[in-house]
Amino acid sequence: TDDISVSHTTIGAYRLKNRAYEGAFAMSKVADFIAAGYEPERIAVVLPDESYAPMLRLFDKHGNLNFAFGEPLSKNKMYAALAAMLAYSAGESVLQKLESMSLLSLCPYFDGLYEHGGFDGFAQAMDIFLASNLWESTSYDVVKEIFRRALYDFSKESFIYESMRSGEVGQLFISMLGSKKLDDVGGGRIKVIGVLESRGAQLDAVVVLDMNEEFFPKKIDKDLFLNTKIKERAGMPTVEDRQNLQKHFFYEMMRSVKECAFAFVENDEAAPSPFLFEIGASFVDVDEEELERLYFDKREFE
C-alpha cells in the first residue's frame, strides 16, 4: 500500500447528485484554480472513464481544454478530408465521398496537381484547404496548427521537391502527417487526461471526475475470464494488481500536486469510490443550482 505523505496537498471530494453536472463542476473548479494563480499548463482534468470526454467538451465553450489523449492525427476528420482531396487529384473516383464530406467546392483547387511540379502548387491548394469554413470551429485549431507547421517545414526544403509533381509532394506530406499525434501541439492550455497519463504529469492542480465505485479503480474486461488463482500461478497481474496500480498512479499524482479536487456522484444508482475513504478526503456537497445558473444555457434545452 502507498503511504500518503500528501500533507502539503489540499484534497477535497465533491458530491454531486447527477453525472450531467460533472462537466460544469470541472469548468468551475478550473476557473477557481486559475483565479488562485495556477498556470493553465499545470492544471488538468483527469477522466477515469474517458468516454465522458464528449460530455465535458460541451461545457468547454471557449476551447480552453486540450482533449488530445494522444489521439492519432490520422483519425481526425480534417486529415481524412485532405487524404480524400489528394486521392481526387490523383484521379481516383471519390466524388461520392467528397460530396458526403462537403468537399466538392475544393475540387477546382486540387485539379491538376499532377500536371505541374514542385511544392508551390501543393502549397497553394493547402492554403485554400486550410482557409475553408469547414474548419472554423475551435476543435480544429490544433489540427490546423499541426498542418501549418508541417507545411512550413516542407517549404524550407522545397528545392528537394522541384522534380516531383505537386500531387506527389501532397502524398509525401500526408504520409508524414499520419505518424503525428494530436497532442504534438497544444490546443487549449488545460490538459484532459486519462488515469495512465496522470503518471508523471507535471501538474499543480487537478480535477478528477467520476470518482465512483463503478469507474475507479476500473476493472478491465479481460480480467474477468481467468480467475485470480490461475493468474497468480502464471505470474499474470490479477484484478487486484491492476487496481492497485491505478491507485498508485493517483497517490503519485497527489504527492506532486498542490490541489486535488475529486468529483463523484451519489444517488440511488451510484456510490463514491472506496478510494476516497482510503485517502480520508473531506466531503463537500456541490450546489448544483449554482452550476446550472452559470453553465447551462436554458435555450439549449428548449
Side-chain angles (χ1 to χ4, degrees):
T1 60
D2 285 78
D3 161 44
I4 325 175
S5 351
V6 289
S7 52
H8 66 287
T9 304
T10 306
I11 296 170
Y14 294 83
R15 182 190 285 113
L16 294 143
K17 296 187 213 56
N18 188 324
R19 196 180 183 210
Y21 287 94
E22 284 196 316
F25 171 79
M27 299 312 292
S28 156
K29 206 69 197 156
V30 162
D32 291 347
F33 287 153
I34 289 170
Y38 293 114
E39 290 294 319
E41 287 79 5
R42 295 185 68 89
I43 299 172
V45 181
V46 182
L47 302 184
D49 175 27
E50 294 181 14
S51 71
Y52 192 76
M55 178 70 89
L56 179 58
R57 199 189 286 272
L58 294 177
F59 294 93
D60 183 29
K61 296 278 199 291
H62 305 292
N64 293 319
L65 301 181
N66 184 340
F67 287 86
F69 275 131
E71 184 186 325
L73 183 63
S74 56
K75 288 192 173 170
N76 186 272
K77 187 178 173 184
M78 202 167 158
Y79 177 94
L82 180 58
M85 292 311 308
L86 288 168
Y88 164 78
S89 75
E92 292 179 35
S93 51
V94 288
L95 283 176
Q96 213 170 349
K97 186 177 189 177
L98 296 181
E99 188 174 7
S100 71
M101 296 173 85
S102 308
L103 295 168
L104 289 178
S105 62
L106 294 176
C107 286
Y109 306 101
F110 281 79
D111 272 329
L113 285 192
Y114 279 81
E115 285 155 28
H116 48 253
F119 173 76
D120 289 347
F122 172 63
Q124 284 163 18
M126 279 304 295
D127 284 345
I128 302 288
F129 178 83
L130 289 170
S132 164
N133 58 11
L134 288 168
W135 324 120
E136 272 177 1
S137 85
T138 53
S139 60
Y140 290 112
D141 287 352
V142 179
V143 190
K144 277 196 277 200
E145 181 63 15
I146 295 173
F147 276 43
R148 287 201 178 102
R149 286 192 186 192
L151 269 174
Y152 176 69
D153 290 343
F154 259 57
S155 72
K156 288 191 293 190
E157 299 172 343
S158 59
F159 62 92
I160 298 172
Y161 311 117
E162 278 170 13
S163 62
M164 294 172 71
R165 293 172 183 170
S166 301
E168 291 168 340
V169 178
Q171 294 300 339
L172 264 184
F173 180 79
I174 199 158
S175 64
M176 183 271 293
L177 280 181
S179 63
K180 288 193 175 291
K181 292 217 165 95
L182 275 179
D183 51 0
D184 288 351
V185 173
R189 294 160 68 194
I190 295 147
K191 289 184 276 291
V192 179
I193 56 179
V195 173
L196 285 175
E197 291 150 308
S198 69
R199 185 187 190 190
Q202 302 292 305
L203 301 168
D204 289 329
V206 291
V207 189
V208 185
L209 301 186
D210 283 328
M211 279 308 284
N212 279 80
E213 205 171 43
E214 181 186 351
F215 301 116
F216 189 88
K218 191 184 282 181
K219 282 191 174 62
I220 316 246
D221 289 344
K222 60 186 176 202
D223 286 329
L224 308 176
F225 295 110
L226 293 173
N227 70 37
T228 302
K229 287 277 185 286
I230 294 172
K231 288 187 158 192
E232 281 172 352
R233 260 188 244 128
M236 293 165 68
T238 62
V239 173
E240 195 179 349
D241 292 336
R242 288 182 192 278
Q243 292 185 333
N244 284 339
L245 188 61
Q246 292 172 56
K247 289 186 198 175
H248 173 70
F249 289 162
F250 272 14
Y251 282 120
E252 289 291 300
M253 181 177 73
M254 287 188 301
R255 281 198 190 97
S256 66
V257 303
K258 298 186 179 81
E259 283 196 56
C260 198
F262 293 104
F264 67 94
V265 175
E266 190 165 21
N267 55 31
D268 293 343
E269 287 92 41
S273 165
F275 181 77
L276 294 177
F277 300 102
E278 285 174 32
I279 61 175
S282 52
F283 285 55
V284 181
D285 285 312
V286 175
D287 182 348
E288 291 183 1
E289 284 180 16
E290 176 68 2
L291 285 179
E292 185 158 339
R293 195 177 63 74
L294 289 171
Y295 290 95
F296 286 83
D297 184 347
K298 294 288 185 292
R299 285 167 305 180
E300 288 174 16
F301 298 97
E302 280 171 10

